[in-house]
Structure formats: structure tokens, C-alpha cells
Amino acid sequence: GNSLTRRGWTTRKRRTPGNNTKWRKPRMRPRRPCRTQSSSFFFASHIPATILLDSQALFPSKMYPAAVVQTAKWYCETFGDPLMSNMPVWFKALVGLEVAFELPFFFAALYALRTRKNWIRIPAIIYASHTVTALVPILASLISDAPADKRAVLLSFYTPYILIPAWIGVHFVCNPVPFPPLEDEASREAQDAKTKSQ
């Protein structure tokens, strides 16, 4: 009896007379691995950045609160970002794709990661491919045009937006079923733990 209890089994009384009991496995609850939590945080943090800051490259300043406009201006003056300051046409085009394509994806990804939906795999791979491709000319422009004393700081701001999507893309490419049935996942984790203990 104790060994079964240690393994996570619980007892439940039958509705028949007497003290007979039967063993049942408790209902399994979804676990949120660190990689899922990290991806969710990345997508969630990207939503306000896209709506309040990046989209200013497309829409008139009067559409935004004064504090948000001043924040963007302070950023440009402090760090000398040549893209946000000058807003070349090609950069506006990429921001347009971000608003039209990436922003809706962030909401879908947050829902899918929370509810363990496997249909997010292909959209995530498409998102990762698009974002990594878009960041190449952005980083190249910063290396070429950013002030020398601000270049490293600007690159540190932008680099996570190519590394994290690349990591997300590799993860989904390598996992045909991102969210296997909970029973299969528990069995795999138990087998991994057993292998490590040997």
C-alpha cells in the first residue's frame, strides 16, 4: 500500500458496503516546461512593444498617448537608432508585416501554448523563418549605420529578436508533435528519470 502511495496512486471508497477500496491514478494536469514558459513570455512581451512602439513607424503620432510618443523620441535620441529615427521605406515595410502578420500570431501562440495545441507547429515555423529573415537586413543596417559608440547597445537590443525566434523554429521543426498526450509525456519523463538514475 505504501509503495503505491509513493508512486502517486490514491484510494477511493466504493459505494458498496464494507471498507473495500480500489486504486485509481489521479487525473494528470498539463505541465508547462521552461521552454513553453519562455516562449509565452517572449510573445506576451512582444505585443505591447509592437502596438505602442514599433507601429509608430506606420501611423500618425496623434494616434498614440503623448507618453508613448515621448518614450520613442527619448529612445531615438539616447541610443541613436538609425532605423527608428529615419524610418526608411524598407524598414516600414517590415514593420507593416510585423503588425499585419506577427501581432495576430502572438495571440494565437499564447493560446496554443497554454492549451497545448499542436496546430501551432506550422505557424510557429513560418513565424520563425519570417522573423529571422527580416532581422538580417535590420542587424546589417545597424552594424553599418549606427553610431560607433551606440552600436553594441543597439545590437544587444535587437539580437534577441533573431535568436529567440530561431530557437523557437528549431524546437518546432525537431518536434513533429509539440504536445504529446499527457500519458505519453509522463511515461517519457519517467523513463528519462530512470535512465539518469542508472
Side-chain angles (χ1 to χ4, degrees), residues 8-28:
W9 293 81
T10 58
T11 60
R12 180 177 62 187
K13 290 186 177 181
R14 294 178 178 176
R15 294 186 178 181
T16 55
N19 294 326
N20 293 330
T21 59
K22 64 179 181 179
W23 296 96
R24 66 180 178 88
K25 191 69 175 176
R27 184 179 179 182
M28 300 179 65

Side-chain angles (χ1 to χ4, degrees), residues 68-150:
V68 173
V69 176
Q70 290 300 319
T71 299
K73 182 181 294 186
W74 170 85
Y75 165 77
C76 293
E77 293 175 352
T78 303
F79 299 102
D81 188 330
L83 298 176
M84 291 298 293
S85 298
N86 303 323
M87 295 187 183
V89 174
W90 66 267
F91 179 69
K92 290 184 177 182
L94 292 179
V95 174
L97 291 174
E98 178 184 348
V99 173
F101 164 66
E102 295 183 32
L103 184 58
F105 169 79
F106 296 149
F107 290 98
L110 287 173
Y111 169 78
L113 292 175
R114 183 174 182 82
T115 56
R116 298 172 58 87
K117 302 296 185 181
N118 286 315
W119 52 254
I120 196 60
R121 178 176 181 264
I122 298 302
I125 293 173
I126 296 174
Y127 158 79
S129 302
H130 161 74
T131 304
V132 169
T133 302
L135 261 292
V136 171
I138 289 176
L139 294 177
S141 178
L142 292 176
I143 294 173
S144 173
D145 301 331
D149 58 332
K150 306 291 186 181

Side-chain angles (χ1 to χ4, degrees), residues 23-42:
W23 296 96
R24 66 180 178 88
K25 191 69 175 176
R27 184 179 179 182
M28 300 179 65
R29 296 182 178 180
R31 297 181 59 186
R32 303 190 69 193
C34 180
R35 61 180 178 272
T36 300
Q37 294 177 348
S38 300
S39 299
S40 297
F41 176 80
F42 175 76

